[in-house]
Amino acid sequence: MSSNARATQLTRRGLLAAGSALGLGAALAACGTEKQSGSAAKSEKSGSWEFKDDRGQVVKTKSVPKNIVAFTGTAAALKDFGVEVVGVFGPTTVKDPKTGAETPDVQAGDLDVKKVKVIGNVWGEFKIEEYLKLNPEVLITDMWEKNDLWYVPAEQKDKILKVAPSVALWAADKSMPAVLQRHADLAASLGADVKTKKIQDDKVRFEAAAERVRQAAKGKKDIKVLIGSASPDLFYVSTPVRPTDTLYFKELGVTLVVPTKLDQGGWFEGLSWENVDKYPADVIMLDNRTSALQPEALKAKPTWAALPAVKAGQVIPRVTEPIYSYAKCAPLLEDLAKALENAKKVA
C-alpha cells in the first residue's frame, strides 16, 4: 500500500471513529459507460433496464434487476421505497452483550436481517463466494468520495465488479433533499411505486420537520451545534461542509461549529481528550453508530463530562450515515428541531 493510500485510510478511519478506511480511486464497473440524458430509463419493448448513477455512469441490464445486493444503509432506504434486496454488506447486525443474540444494527433500518443474506458485516469483509451464490444482477452502494464504492474492499473490488454491474449514489457533498430524490429515482427505476400514500405522507412529514428546524434555528441563532464522533483516543469534530445532513442543517439556518484544522479529505478535526473543549458548543450531536463510543461509555472521560453541553444534558444522537428515505430522515430533523427549541445557551 502506498503512503498516500495509508494517509487516506487514516483520515477516513477518523471520520468513522471505528477503524474503517476508505481507499480512494476505486475502479469503475466495466459495463455502462455510455452517455445518456436523464438519470434513469427503462425500455418497455425489450424489458431492459438502465440507470445513470452519480458517477455519471449508465448501468444496463437485460431486464429490471431482482437479485439486488446492496450496502446495508442503501438496502434499508430501498426497502422504505418498496424495493427488496437479497443480500447486504456493511454494518447489519450487532451482538447483544448480555444474551449474545444478533440484533439489527442502527444502519439496518427496517430490513429483516434474518431474511437477507449478510455477505459482510464489518469493514473489509465481503464474502465473494456467498455473493456469487446470490446470482446478483446489480450491486448498489453509497459514494463518499467520487468513484469510490462504499464498503467494497479495495483489494477485492476488481473481482467483485466483474460479477455484476454497480450503481453508486452520493452520500456526501450533496444536500439531503437531493440525495433522497436520487434514492427515490433509483427505486422507481427498479419498479417501485414511489408515489404511494405512505411515501407521500413520509415526504410531507420530512418537509414539515425541515420547516420546524428552520423556525427553531431562526429563534436560536446564538445556539452553537457541534457535530462529533468519539473514539477511545480522539474526539472528531466534523465539518458541516461535506456531509449531506449537516449541509442541509446549514441551509436551514442552524449555527454549526466549523473546525479549523481539517484532515486532508476535508472531513473533520481530531482532538485529544485533553483538548476536547477547543470549540464551545451548546448542543452536541454525537455519532450514533455502533462503531463509535456512546454517552454511557463516555462517562469515564472527565473532560467529556465537564463540557457545558454534556452537563446541561444537551447531547443528542447524530445519524451519521442516514438511511436515505423520507421515513428515516424525517425523525432526525424532528429530533434536531426539538433539541434547538429546548436548548439553552451554556457554552
Side-chain angles (χ1 to χ4, degrees), residues 53-168:
D53 75 358
D54 289 350
R55 296 170 296 186
Q57 183 171 326
V58 178
V59 182
K60 296 182 178 182
T61 58
K62 293 181 179 179
S63 60
V64 179
K66 299 299 180 186
N67 289 350
I68 301 167
V69 176
F71 169 66
T72 303
T74 313
L78 288 173
K79 180 176 177 61
D80 286 349
F81 280 118
V83 176
E84 299 285 348
V85 305
V86 296
V88 296
F89 55 95
T92 309
T93 63
V94 292
K95 187 169 289 187
D96 188 304
K98 295 181 179 179
T99 66
E102 294 288 341
T103 59
D105 186 275
V106 294
Q107 295 187 61
D110 293 331
L111 288 176
D112 186 340
V113 298
K114 294 181 179 179
K115 183 179 178 182
V116 296
K117 180 67 177 179
V118 181
I119 62 173
N121 198 45
V122 295
W123 183 266
E125 181 181 61
F126 193 110
K127 301 172 184 175
I128 296 182
E129 296 79 8
E130 298 300 322
Y131 181 52
L132 288 168
K133 290 177 184 177
L134 294 172
N135 296 314
E137 295 170 270
V138 67
L139 180 147
I140 304 172
T141 189
D142 288 346
M143 184 168 64
W144 288 73
E145 298 283 359
K146 185 65 175 176
N147 297 333
D148 192 279
L149 302 183
W150 191 228
Y151 266 81
V152 175
E155 64 275 10
Q156 294 178 285
K157 72 178 187 296
D158 291 339
K159 291 182 179 179
I160 293 169
L161 296 180
K162 287 179 181 178
V163 177
S166 61
V167 168

Side-chain angles (χ1 to χ4, degrees), residues 14-54:
L15 171 68
L16 295 172
S20 297
L22 177 62
L24 299 182
L28 296 179
C31 68
T33 55
E34 184 180 328
K35 299 293 183 180
Q36 169 190 304
S37 62
S39 62
K42 176 181 162 186
S43 171
E44 295 299 334
K45 290 183 179 180
S46 65
S48 63
W49 175 83
E50 61 183 58
F51 183 84
K52 187 175 182 180
D53 75 358
D54 289 350

Side-chain angles (χ1 to χ4, degrees), residues 313-331:
Q314 295 182 168
V315 178
I316 64 171
R318 184 232 177 166
V319 183
T320 305
E321 291 188 54
I323 294 170
Y324 289 109
S325 69
Y326 296 109
K328 296 298 185 294
C329 288

Side-chain angles (χ1 to χ4, degrees), residues 226 235 271-281 303 306-308:
L226 182 147
F235 183 74
L271 302 176
S272 68
W273 284 104
E274 290 77 12
N275 297 313
V276 73
D277 60 350
K278 177 178 178 179
Y279 297 104
T303 52
L307 292 175

Side-chain angles (χ1 to χ4, degrees), residues 174-186:
K174 302 287 183 182
S175 185
M176 183 173 281
V179 176
L180 282 165
Q181 184 60 55
R182 290 295 286 144
H183 283 73
D185 291 344
L186 176 58

Side-chain angles (χ1 to χ4, degrees), residues 157-332:
K157 72 178 187 296
D158 291 339
K159 291 182 179 179
I160 293 169
L161 296 180
K162 287 179 181 178
V163 177
S166 61
V167 168
L169 295 181
W170 274 117
D173 297 332
K174 302 287 183 182
S175 185
M176 183 173 281
V179 176
L180 282 165
Q181 184 60 55
R182 290 295 286 144
H183 283 73
D185 291 344
L186 176 58
S189 80
L190 291 167
D193 180 1
V194 298
K195 296 188 181 298
T196 63
K197 185 178 186 305
K198 171 72 167 63
I199 293 173
Q200 292 305 303
D201 287 348
D202 290 337
K203 186 175 183 180
V204 169
R205 180 184 173 187
F206 172 82
E207 291 169 347
E211 183 57 28
R212 184 179 168 188
V213 171
R214 192 191 307 276
Q215 294 304 320
K218 189 180 296 184
K220 295 288 183 75
K221 289 188 178 296
D222 62 330
I223 296 296
K224 291 185 178 181
V225 179
L226 182 147
I227 312 296
S229 183
S231 74
D233 300 322
L234 294 173
F235 183 74
Y236 299 93
V237 180
S238 294
T239 176
V241 176
R242 295 201 67 185
T244 63
D245 59 337
T246 54
L247 266 173
Y248 194 39
F249 300 162
K250 188 176 179 182
E251 289 173 5
L252 293 172
V254 179
T255 302
L256 298 164
V257 170
V258 181
T260 57
K261 296 183 179 180
L262 298 179
D263 68 296
Q264 69 177 37
W267 288 98
F268 59 83
E269 178 177 351
L271 302 176
S272 68
W273 284 104
E274 290 77 12
N275 297 313
V276 73
D277 60 350
K278 177 178 178 179
Y279 297 104
D282 304 291
V283 174
I284 296 175
M285 296 186 73
L286 188 67
D287 188 347
N288 77 329
R289 290 173 297 180
T290 52
S291 56
L293 296 182
Q294 299 305 306
E296 188 63 30
L298 290 174
K299 288 180 179 179
K301 303 278 189 186
T303 52
W304 167 261
L307 292 175
V310 176
K311 291 168 71 173
Q314 295 182 168
V315 178
I316 64 171
R318 184 232 177 166
V319 183
T320 305
E321 291 188 54
I323 294 170
Y324 289 109
S325 69
Y326 296 109
K328 296 298 185 294
C329 288
L332 66 87

